[in-house]
Amino acid sequence: MSKRRSITIIDIAKELGIAPSTVSRALSGHSKISPETRDKVMAVAKKWNYVPNKIALSLKNQETRTLGLIIPEIVHYFFSNVISGIEEVANKNGYSLLICQSGESLEREIKAVSTLVRQRVDGLIICCSRETEEFDHVEKLPENKGVPVVYFDRVPPNSKHPKIIVDDLMGAKQATAHLIEQGCKNIAHLAGPENLLISRNRLSGYRLALQNAGRQPKTELIKYCKEGTTEVGFAKMNELLNQEVIPDGVFANNDIIALGAMMAIKKKGLKIPEDVAVIGYSNWQLSEFMEPGLSSVNQPGAEMGEQACQCILNYIESDEPVEFFSPIILPSSLVIRGSSLRKRSAQIKVLNAGG
Amino acid sequence: MSKRRSITIIDIAKELGIAPSTVSRALSGHSKISPETRDKVMAVAKKWNYVPNKIALSLKNQETRTLGLIIPEIVHYFFSNVISGIEEVANKNGYSLLICQSGESLEREIKAVSTLVRQRVDGLIICCSRETEEFDHVEKLPENKGVPVVYFDRVPPNSKHPKIIVDDLMGAKQATAHLIEQGCKNIAHLAGPENLLISRNRLSGYRLALQNAGRQPKTELIKYCKEGTTEVGFAKMNELLNQEVIPDGVFANNDIIALGAMMAIKKKGLKIPEDVAVIGYSNWQLSEFMEPGLSSVNQPGAEMGEQACQCILNYIESDEPVEFFSPIILPSSLVIRGSSLRKRSAQIKVLNAGG
DNA sequence: ATAAGCAATGCAAACGTTTGCATAAAAGAT
DNA sequence: ATCTTTTATGCAAACGTTTGCATTGCTTAT
């Protein structure tokens, strides 16, 4: 591409034999510019198709009106919902969105942070990768005055930056309680990676619900799934089905794992939910269309994105460096479908898990 | 946020009592800098956590190493795959990605183009909204020397810019031919909006396959779905099922419509595929998990993104303004699952539709 | 008639980098 | 001891905008 030079305020000024500053003021509707000059400038600007150069403005104003977003994978229903929510709010406030995916790799996450800081984004919204256990690459940004950061979903345990999370513990507790209420005696849990706070919270919620019902969580009914794939879900569910104590209910760390589990159960010739009730997490789009429909804990992705974006905009615009103590916790809600509904009496309903 | 000033090359220069140019050269490993100076500069840069300012560089070099992407909706399996593919290639080549969603609205699409041009993206990758029928907002960018543009998926009929599309006609033809081969006598089509080239191509492919089999396409078996939702698919399928000629096969413009159609068929007490065989388009993630699994024409989203990105990078870097005649056509392939498989003999297989 | 006030515009600096050219000092050649 | 070469560094311009502070030419009040 032969270097294209777009026309500038200076070009317009030369054409009219006036100063660039006059053109600038005319274009921005400054009061002290005579109507004739203004009109002439406008005409030339239109004729040449003038487009203001945001780069020059960014340099001068020391702000880019751009937000950086780092997420593990774009191709996830939850994450694409989050992006969508963020984009919506950003756009409405005149901000643009620069997106990097870490691909669940810490190395790429670090690189992404560096790229975005170089680009001088006004703020950074991050959901950490599965690999991330240390957070210095974000926490110790430019030592002096750091870039505003907001974490969401997968957040570091100790950080002064704002955090937006869904109430995983509550969601998991409700899901498990629901299985208990449906008459399940041996409820298994297909857990996520131990280093992720969200996985630990879901596990805790599972345990808590059992304890509240006066039951002791059994370690042999908890299986860790390092990756969130149907294959892993299938394999781990098979392990469970081949043990002495066969579970009659299973709560999975996410819908994809739950799907794998459903496959394993069907293949074994067992019925869902009669023999084994299943409940997932995240309420992926596909859960609705499964057979039976997969019950799941709904994570409000778009809302989370909106909140995260609103939060960072406030952060950016607040003059005082704000101190953030507790995370913003969004309520998750249980969506009950066929995969867990054993009692005819109960209708398909949505229980709010936020209380 | 109290205005943070990140440290610059000038700060380093002052600290060491040398010129900014020397610092610049030292940092970039220029040969004519003495090792001592270089080391001192490096040390200070590290101490102060210096991060180069890409904005200043962009202004000077007249390139931002940033690509703009405009898509209708991020929350679509196909589109999020495309984004992922683009991001991958962009990242590998040192480019960043600025994303806007048009929400299928022409107005927002126009605004997005303007935003991205202001930001001085080095190139623009666009998939037009459903509403878009006129393309001047893209085609007549800065009249003089325009920003490189690449269209994908939904492309304007006449444009000198590169276009990446999937072979919709061929895919639709294969899908319809497959239904014929499975013994369907009355094959209906749930078509997309008439203004979209891709919809028209799919319709053409449907017609072509019928004609090749010596059949006459019947207008009463073609229903247009303006929106791609299960509701519309459900409604339109119901219309079909209440006509005199009940179809025993249906080819839908996309998987979501196909899903709606499946619901209508089941509700009517008919069996899939025995009474009505169904086939969709786009091979969404959820198609695999339906019951029966939904046959679908696979659109290689990630690959499309990669190609689009590679294409625009070539475009940007080529010195000569290139002339593009015919679009790059990616082969689509038929993924056959339970929803269309009536003959036991045929195994679940993937037919390549690209030939 | 002169000072004061106002309206319209221009000047120049600043934002952070890079880079061609000039300069300075030191080393080498005669 | 002088001239050339080499080596290391500095100067200044450029990228496109905005904006505080002049500056100019008028009009209005005294």
Side-chain angles (χ1 to χ4, degrees):
Chain A
M1 194 69 193
S2 50
K3 282 288 164 225
R4 60 209 144 80
R5 215 189 64 86
S6 24
I7 67 133
T8 72
I9 269 190
I10 301 182
D11 297 327
I12 301 179
K14 274 186 190 150
E15 163 114 3
L16 292 170
I18 59 179
S21 48
T22 307
V23 176
S24 170
R25 281 188 262 251
L27 289 171
S28 60
H30 197 286
S31 60
K32 297 290 181 59
I33 293 293
S34 73
E36 316 143 39
T37 312
R38 181 163 44 74
D39 293 348
K40 274 193 291 182
V41 169
M42 290 297 195
V44 177
K46 183 158 237 171
K47 185 181 82 182
W48 292 74
N49 216 324
Y50 168 73
V51 178
N53 187 325
K54 228 185 139 221
I55 298 297
L57 247 175
S58 294
L59 183 59
K60 174 144 186 45
N61 294 346
Q62 299 282 75
E63 59 163 27
T64 52
R65 299 224 127 218
T66 294
L67 302 177
L69 172 63
I70 303 177
I71 42 164
E73 303 266 9
I74 296 170
V75 188
H76 263 56
Y77 187 63
F78 172 67
F79 287 129
S80 58
N81 263 297
V82 174
I83 302 179
S84 189
I86 295 175
E87 204 273 341
E88 205 68 41
V89 175
N91 186 279
K92 206 164 287 171
N93 288 273
Y95 280 77
S96 299
L97 199 56
L98 221 32
I99 299 185
C100 297
Q101 56 183 339
S102 68
E104 301 285 11
S105 136
L106 175 58
E107 187 197 335
R108 284 188 59 183
E109 182 173 305
I110 294 174
K111 210 180 134 203
V113 171
S114 156
T115 304
L116 293 173
V117 172
R118 281 171 133 77
Q119 306 247 21
R120 292 294 191 275
V121 292
D122 291 344
L124 213 46
I125 304 178
I126 306 187
C127 173
C128 296
S129 88
R130 270 168 196 271
E131 279 182 22
T132 308
E133 302 186 30
E134 251 251 295
F135 301 89
D136 280 4
H137 58 297
V138 180
E139 292 293 307
K140 299 195 178 165
L141 272 182
E143 316 266 336
N144 24 355
K145 304 246 179 94
V147 185
V149 174
V150 167
Y151 293 98
F152 75 91
D153 198 45
R154 305 197 200 140
V155 307
N158 305 306
S159 165
K160 60 182 195 316
H161 297 298
K163 296 176 267 293
I164 322 264
I165 54 176
V166 287
D167 197 339
D168 278 310
L169 192 132
M170 215 55 179
K173 198 176 131 199
Q174 287 267 359
T176 312
H178 167 66
L179 290 176
I180 294 172
E181 190 251 338
Q182 291 290 311
C184 298
K185 301 296 173 205
N186 291 300
I187 301 172
H189 180 41
L190 295 171
E194 285 183 87
N195 65 308
L196 286 185
L197 183 60
I198 52 170
S199 305
R200 293 202 302 273
N201 281 342
R202 290 174 197 173
L203 178 56
S204 302
Y206 160 79
R207 286 208 170 105
L208 208 59
L210 289 180
Q211 281 158 3
N212 282 358
R215 304 189 191 174
Q216 214 41 249
K218 299 172 193 150
T219 48
E220 67 269 25
L221 286 180
I222 299 172
K223 297 282 176 189
Y224 291 92
C225 302
K226 189 143 191 168
E227 289 147 67
T229 61
T230 45
E231 287 75 19
V232 172
F234 184 87
K236 294 292 174 182
M237 188 69 216
N238 261 337
E239 286 183 23
L240 284 168
L241 293 174
N242 290 329
Q243 290 175 179
E244 314 93 89
V245 188
I246 292 185
D248 57 354
V250 57
F251 165 49
N253 185 65
N254 70 45
D255 282 4
I256 292 294
I257 292 175
L259 258 181
M262 283 172 80
M263 290 175 179
I265 295 166
K266 286 184 189 169
K267 197 167 184 190
K268 204 81 178 177
L270 298 171
K271 291 250 174 267
I272 303 170
E274 292 80 3
D275 298 320
V276 189
V278 181
I279 188 160
Y281 214 107
S282 288
N283 192 28
W284 281 43
Q285 193 183 26
L286 53 82
S287 313
E288 187 181 346
F289 303 113
M290 294 298 95
E291 211 133 328
L294 175 61
S295 298
S296 190
V297 178
N298 186 56
Q299 287 182 295
E303 193 193 334
M304 198 161 192
E306 287 160 23
Q307 290 258 3
C309 193
Q310 200 55 63
C311 180
I312 204 151
L313 292 182
N314 297 344
Y315 195 171
I316 291 171
E317 267 141 41
S318 70
D319 276 352
E320 297 291 310
V322 197
E323 279 297 324
F324 298 89
F325 301 101
S326 45
I328 298 173
I329 301 177
L330 298 184
S332 48
S333 54
L334 191 56
V335 180
I336 300 176
R337 301 199 180 91
S339 73
S340 68
L341 204 64
R342 293 167 138 187
K343 301 185 175 172
R344 256 173 270 97
S345 62
Q347 287 295 320
I348 292 185
K349 59 183 173 177
V350 173
L351 293 177
N352 201 310
Chain B
M1 195 65 196
S2 50
K3 283 286 167 230
R4 61 210 142 76
R5 218 192 60 88
S6 24
I7 67 132
T8 72
I9 269 190
I10 301 182
D11 297 327
I12 299 179
K14 273 187 190 146
E15 162 113 2
L16 291 170
I18 58 179
S21 47
T22 307
V23 176
S24 170
R25 282 187 261 250
L27 288 171
S28 60
H30 197 284
S31 59
K32 296 291 180 60
I33 294 293
S34 74
E36 314 143 41
T37 310
R38 179 163 45 74
D39 293 348
K40 274 194 291 183
V41 169
M42 290 297 195
V44 177
K46 182 158 236 170
K47 184 181 82 183
W48 291 77
N49 217 326
Y50 168 73
V51 179
N53 187 325
K54 231 188 136 216
I55 299 296
L57 247 175
S58 293
L59 183 59
K60 174 148 185 44
N61 293 347
Q62 299 281 76
E63 59 161 28
T64 53
R65 299 223 127 220
T66 294
L67 302 177
L69 172 62
I70 303 176
I71 40 164
E73 302 266 9
I74 296 172
V75 188
H76 264 57
Y77 188 64
F78 172 66
F79 287 130
S80 59
N81 263 297
V82 174
I83 301 178
S84 189
I86 295 175
E87 204 272 342
E88 204 66 42
V89 174
N91 186 280
K92 206 165 288 173
N93 287 272
Y95 280 77
S96 298
L97 200 57
L98 222 32
I99 298 185
C100 297
Q101 57 183 339
S102 67
E104 301 286 8
S105 135
L106 175 58
E107 188 197 335
R108 286 189 57 185
E109 182 175 303
I110 294 174
K111 210 180 131 204
V113 171
S114 157
T115 304
L116 293 174
V117 171
R118 281 170 134 76
Q119 304 248 22
R120 294 294 192 275
V121 293
D122 290 344
L124 213 47
I125 303 178
I126 306 186
C127 173
C128 297
S129 88
R130 269 168 196 271
E131 279 183 24
T132 308
E133 303 186 29
E134 251 251 297
F135 301 89
D136 279 4
H137 57 296
V138 180
E139 292 292 308
K140 298 194 177 166
L141 271 182
E143 317 267 335
N144 25 354
K145 303 247 179 94
V147 185
V149 174
V150 166
Y151 293 99
F152 75 91
D153 199 44
R154 306 200 200 137
V155 306
N158 304 307
S159 164
K160 60 182 196 316
H161 295 298
K163 295 177 266 293
I164 321 264
I165 54 175
V166 287
D167 197 339
D168 278 310
L169 191 132
M170 214 57 180
K173 198 175 133 200
Q174 287 265 355
T176 312
H178 167 66
L179 290 177
I180 294 172
E181 189 250 339
Q182 291 291 311
C184 298
K185 300 296 173 205
N186 291 299
I187 302 173
H189 180 40
L190 295 170
E194 285 183 89
N195 66 309
L196 286 186
L197 183 61
I198 52 170
S199 305
R200 293 202 303 272
N201 282 341
R202 289 174 198 175
L203 178 56
S204 303
Y206 160 79
R207 287 207 168 105
L208 208 59
L210 289 180
Q211 282 159 0
N212 282 358
R215 305 188 191 174
Q216 213 42 251
K218 299 171 192 154
T219 47
E220 67 268 25
L221 286 181
I222 299 172
K223 298 280 175 191
Y224 290 91
C225 303
K226 189 142 191 169
E227 289 146 67
T229 61
T230 45
E231 287 75 19
V232 173
F234 184 87
K236 294 291 175 181
M237 189 70 218
N238 261 336
E239 287 184 22
L240 283 169
L241 292 174
N242 290 329
Q243 290 177 175
E244 315 94 89
V245 188
I246 293 187
D248 56 353
V250 56
F251 165 51
N253 186 65
N254 71 45
D255 282 4
I256 292 295
I257 292 175
L259 257 181
M262 282 172 79
M263 291 175 178
I265 295 166
K266 285 182 190 171
K267 196 166 184 189
K268 204 83 181 176
L270 298 170
K271 289 250 175 269
I272 303 171
E274 291 79 2
D275 298 320
V276 189
V278 181
I279 188 160
Y281 214 106
S282 288
N283 192 29
W284 282 42
Q285 194 184 25
L286 53 82
S287 313
E288 186 181 347
F289 302 114
M290 295 297 95
E291 212 135 327
L294 175 61
S295 298
S296 189
V297 179
N298 185 56
Q299 287 183 296
E303 193 193 333
M304 199 161 190
E306 288 161 22
Q307 289 258 2
C309 194
Q310 199 55 62
C311 181
I312 204 147
L313 293 182
N314 296 343
Y315 196 169
I316 291 169
E317 267 142 40
S318 68
D319 276 350
E320 297 291 311
V322 197
E323 280 298 325
F324 299 89
F325 302 100
S326 44
I328 298 172
I329 302 177
L330 299 183
S332 49
S333 53
L334 192 56
V335 180
I336 300 176
R337 301 198 180 92
S339 73
S340 69
L341 203 63
R342 294 166 136 188
K343 301 187 177 173
R344 256 172 271 99
S345 60
Q347 287 297 320
I348 292 185
K349 60 184 172 176
V350 173
L351 295 177
N352 200 311

